[in-house]
Amino acid sequence: MKTVRLLFSRFFLLLFVLGLGSCDFTSGLNQDILSAQKYVDNQEFSKAVDLYERILKKGPSKLIKTKINYQLAEIYYLYLDQQLRALKYYQYIVENVDDPLWQVKSLEKIADINFSFAKNFGEAIRAYQMLMQFKPRLKNYDYYYLRAGEAYFEMGKYQKAREIFNQILDQPSNPYHVEAFNQMGLIEFYNKNWDKAVDYWLEYLKRERRKEQIVKVKFLIANAYESNEKLKEAYNIYYSLLPYYPNPAMLRARLKALYARRVARKR
């Protein structure tokens, strides 16, 4: 992954240099930019950040400022694992650059950072909604729509999430049609509608082929059965998962507890 990232960075830097070739800037500024690019190429990211920040303080042209802001955002996001610090640089692109390509790339990162790292789901939804407003429709539109539904779920706005996932369920050709069954199961589970949750997950399992996901959802089904006092059904599923579940010790503890409950119920 780091090799791919580094290759991407070098490709970006090549475009960066070519893009600046026709710009009017002093030789000192030119040298600073080339030095910063060399730091990135050598994976000296902290030095690159410091130098790029000094360049921005010199008040370069809008084009240079735009590209440096994007480069800083990418460094924080991809290499320094400081995704929250990348937000303000992506936001600069959204607020100051009219080019749709730059807008889309930055909004996608803003949405992902808010969803996956900041857990600011309201801001993630806002970014996904902006992406869904582009005309013509962007190729990742269906993904943005799914993620908006997941964000509403994370916020506890289950009815809004239901509306989105139900629309996806009404579209068999939607690439996230199968995942919508899983998401609807989660919504019903968190609302303690155990039978409905199981129904959605059983539909999901009819379509899902990834073993890791199958194991995960079967565990949730067993959990729903257990919560609904269907102890035998829960026990059977937990037992069937023993060869595949990443934490078999935890499963054995659950099985032991379930067995004790079943024995106590018979007394």
Side-chain angles (χ1 to χ4, degrees):
M1 179 62 71
K2 288 193 174 182
T3 302
V4 172
R5 288 178 175 178
L6 184 58
L7 288 172
F8 172 82
S9 177
R10 287 173 175 167
F11 177 69
F12 178 89
L13 292 175
L14 176 60
L15 294 179
F16 191 82
V17 173
L18 294 174
L20 294 177
S22 59
C23 297
D24 180 21
F25 51 83
T26 65
S27 59
L29 183 60
N30 182 19
Q31 187 57 49
D32 284 343
I33 290 171
L34 293 175
S35 296
Q37 293 166 356
K38 188 172 182 180
Y39 283 139
V40 175
D41 204 32
N42 292 332
Q43 301 186 55
E44 298 178 87
F45 301 116
S46 294
K47 290 182 178 180
V49 165
D50 290 341
L51 186 48
Y52 277 133
E53 291 286 10
R54 291 202 299 271
I55 295 170
L56 287 177
K57 290 178 181 178
K58 295 180 179 180
S61 69
K62 183 177 179 179
L63 176 60
I64 296 174
K65 192 173 182 180
T66 295
K67 295 190 175 185
I68 289 177
N69 269 275
Y70 192 82
Q71 180 72 325
L72 282 167
E74 292 287 277
I75 291 172
Y76 280 122
Y77 180 83
L78 294 173
Y79 305 112
L80 295 180
D81 288 327
Q82 298 180 41
Q83 289 79 12
L84 300 189
R85 294 193 68 174
L87 274 174
K88 73 172 185 177
Y89 300 101
Y90 288 126
Q91 194 62 44
Y92 173 88
I93 304 297
V94 172
E95 294 174 356
N96 293 278
V97 181
D98 295 327
D99 187 325
L101 178 61
W102 289 91
Q103 289 263 328
V104 169
K105 289 167 67 177
S106 297
L107 280 168
E108 286 181 336
K109 297 294 178 57
I110 288 171
D112 181 60
I113 292 169
N114 277 304
F115 188 101
S116 303
F117 301 97
K119 306 301 180 183
N120 189 340
F121 300 109
E123 283 300 305
I125 290 169
R126 192 169 78 89
Y128 286 127
Q129 287 175 337
M130 291 174 69
L131 287 162
M132 287 187 285
Q133 290 170 2
F134 276 82
K135 302 295 181 184
R137 177 181 290 196
L138 297 171
K139 68 176 182 178
N140 289 329
Y141 180 95
D142 291 324
Y143 175 74
Y144 308 146
Y145 196 53
L146 173 79
R147 291 290 267 183
E150 291 175 340
Y152 279 123
F153 170 80
E154 294 291 345
M155 295 173 72
K157 295 186 176 182
Y158 298 124
Q159 188 52 42
K160 293 288 291 184
R162 274 195 187 96
E163 291 172 8
I164 289 176
F165 297 131
N166 271 323
Q167 286 194 39
I168 296 174
L169 287 177
D170 288 337
Q171 304 167 19
S173 62
N174 189 301
Y176 303 103
H177 178 75
V178 175
E179 178 57 26
F181 285 104
N182 181 30
Q183 295 297 326
M184 288 294 285
L186 289 170
I187 290 172
E188 299 303 342
F189 182 85
Y190 275 84
N191 281 278
K192 299 182 179 181
N193 299 322
W194 315 118
D195 289 335
K196 285 186 176 180
V198 169
D199 287 343
Y200 279 117
W201 282 328
L202 289 176
E203 290 299 318
Y204 174 78
L205 291 177
K206 290 178 184 178
R207 299 162 172 83
E208 181 56 75
R209 296 294 177 266
R210 293 172 295 173
K211 289 184 179 180
E212 182 179 338
Q213 278 299 109
I214 290 171
V215 169
K216 180 179 178 180
V217 171
K218 282 185 176 181
F219 178 85
L220 290 171
I221 290 173
N223 203 315
Y225 279 140
E226 183 179 355
S227 300
N228 204 20
E229 295 299 318
K230 295 183 178 181
L231 304 185
K232 181 179 179 181
E233 291 87 341
Y235 187 96
N236 289 340
I237 294 179
Y238 284 139
Y239 188 84
S240 73
L241 292 175
L242 275 174
Y244 314 105
Y245 199 72
N247 188 354
M250 185 272 287
L251 273 191
R252 291 190 186 95
R254 288 232 173 179
L255 287 167
K256 183 177 180 181
L258 276 173
Y259 180 78
R261 288 173 64 186
R262 290 176 66 190
V263 170
R265 179 181 287 181
K266 292 178 181 179
R267 288 174 182 170

